[in-house]
Amino acid sequence: MRTRGLVCGGLALLAVIAPVRAQRPAPIPPSRLVRGTLSFDGHSTLGDFVGTTDSVRGEMTGGPEIAEVRGWVEAPVATLHTGNGKRDKDLRKSMEVDTFPTMRFDLADVVPGATPGDSSTVTLRGRLSIHGVTRDVDIAARVWVAPDTIRVRGDFPLNLKDYRIGGLSKMLGILKMHENIEVHLDLVFATAR
């Protein structure tokens, strides 16, 4: 009778422990960026527009869990295109691409959030460097972890004046780009095997 009680108690304990172990996240392996897009929604007196580049590169270190991951992503500023040659030329001039050719985000911390369905919400905390200015930023993002890939999608507001980007007005202020833009990222990392 006592043995039966121990067996039943042991089985009950396993029934409680097994789901907890199953819920423990798998380690995140080191990964390299294999494709991605950085874009922004701009607003001007002539209407809204989108600037985008798919010339991105980056890496992530991996870690025992998502909160331990670190890494970086960067893109050449000159590869941003808006679909309007004149606007692209003005953009490169305002961004002074000869002096500040690269924009870069260095990931310092990942704050895990909810895990609805097949993805996790996270806050990516790090340092964003644009136009020779580096600032701390938080990016609200979603992460999908698959066996061989990790996808990250996020959005955040950015004020161009915070990065000392000028030249937003043309023709004595008649043509003007608004200083507030929305930045979007959609990145796919492949695990290093």
Side-chain angles (χ1 to χ4, degrees), residues 3 6 8 43 45-46 108 131 155-156 161 179 182:
T3 303
L6 286 174
C8 288
H43 314 282
T45 52
L46 294 178
H131 196 244
D155 307 285
F156 63 101
K161 295 213 173 184
E179 63 193 52
E182 297 82 39

Side-chain angles (χ1 to χ4, degrees), residues 106-120:
D106 288 290
L107 180 63
D109 192 23
V110 180
V111 180
T115 307
D118 64 345
S119 66
S120 299

Side-chain angles (χ1 to χ4, degrees), residues 124-144:
L124 306 173
R125 290 189 171 154
R127 308 211 14 105
L128 181 63
S129 299
I130 301 175
H131 196 244
V133 177
T134 301
R135 297 178 61 95
D136 292 331
V137 296
D138 287 354
I139 302 172
R142 292 183 83 84
V143 177
W144 291 262

Side-chain angles (χ1 to χ4, degrees), residues 26-101:
I28 307 294
S31 304
R32 184 174 301 265
L33 185 64
V34 292
R35 70 180 180 276
T37 303
L38 298 176
S39 63
F40 69 91
D41 298 329
H43 314 282
S44 75
T45 52
L46 294 178
D48 296 343
F49 62 95
V50 174
T52 188
T53 181
D54 59 5
S55 296
V56 292
R57 58 187 208 111
E59 294 180 357
M60 68 171 66
T61 61
E65 56 189 39
I66 201 161
E68 303 296 321
V69 172
R70 301 297 178 262
W72 57 272
V73 174
E74 67 181 19
V77 177
T79 63
L80 284 167
H81 295 284
T82 66
N84 178 310
K86 171 73 170 117
R87 184 170 42 222
D88 291 348
K89 184 177 175 184
D90 289 344
L91 172 73
R92 286 191 284 281
K93 184 177 178 183
S94 294
M95 297 287 289
E96 299 178 87
V97 297
D98 292 334
T99 305
F100 308 109

